[in-house]
Amino acid sequence: QVQLVESGGGLVQTGGSLRLSCAVSGRTFSRLTVGWFRQAPEKEREFVATINGGYSTYYTESVKGRFTISRDNAKNTVYLQMNSLKPEDTADYSCAASTSPFLGRAQENYSSWGQGTRVTVSS
């Protein structure tokens, strides 16, 4: 069983930056695909970005050029660097793990989920 714990959320002004962390335990981290998802108030949860064990990445269109996903296998951690933040990025951000190397955006591809961390971008 995989456990994931997010951290790094907070309140930031428009145009600011935050770095989210997802600490993973319980399985061979280097082989996992880890994705970030977000859920804004009164909206459905949506895909943000994902990275597999080969360091390939995939982003949703709205964050390309602003967000960067990365991983540190020595620390069993995946990061989401978020720059040029906008009010519409306000959401609860969760990380999730998959044992498949496929870079999918569908939530059903991910079997383990963290509790989430809140990001609020003020205008």
Side-chain angles (χ1 to χ4, degrees):
Q1 188 174 359
V2 178
Q3 294 83 41
L4 304 99
V5 178
E6 303 93 338
S7 62
L11 174 65
V12 64
Q13 292 185 333
T14 296
S17 298
L18 281 176
R19 188 178 78 159
L20 305 183
S21 299
C22 173
V24 183
S25 61
R27 202 175 177 110
T28 305
F29 174 76
S30 62
R31 298 180 182 177
L32 292 175
T33 294
V34 179
W36 284 97
F37 294 78
R38 66 186 180 186
Q39 186 167 18
E42 300 182 359
K43 292 190 175 181
E44 296 293 317
R45 186 164 58 187
E46 65 174 0
F47 168 79
V48 177
T50 189
I51 185 168
N52 67 11
Y55 294 87
S56 294
T57 59
Y58 173 55
Y59 298 88
T60 196
E61 194 65 32
S62 63
V63 307
K64 283 183 180 178
R66 300 189 299 122
F67 291 12
T68 302
I69 190 170
S70 63
R71 66 192 296 154
D72 184 340
N73 286 351
K75 296 182 178 180
N76 285 14
T77 301
V78 170
Y79 303 99
L80 185 68
Q81 177 67 44
M82 306 186 295
N83 299 328
S84 302
L85 283 161
K86 306 174 181 180
E88 51 264 43
D89 295 316
T90 294
D92 289 329
Y93 285 71
S94 300
C95 58
S98 167
T99 57
S100 168
F102 173 66
L103 294 172
R105 63 187 302 134
Q107 297 176 41
E108 55 265 29
N109 291 340
Y110 298 83
S111 55
S112 301
W113 292 78
Q115 293 298 308
T117 185
R118 180 156 294 176
V119 172
T120 304
V121 185
S122 63
S123 57

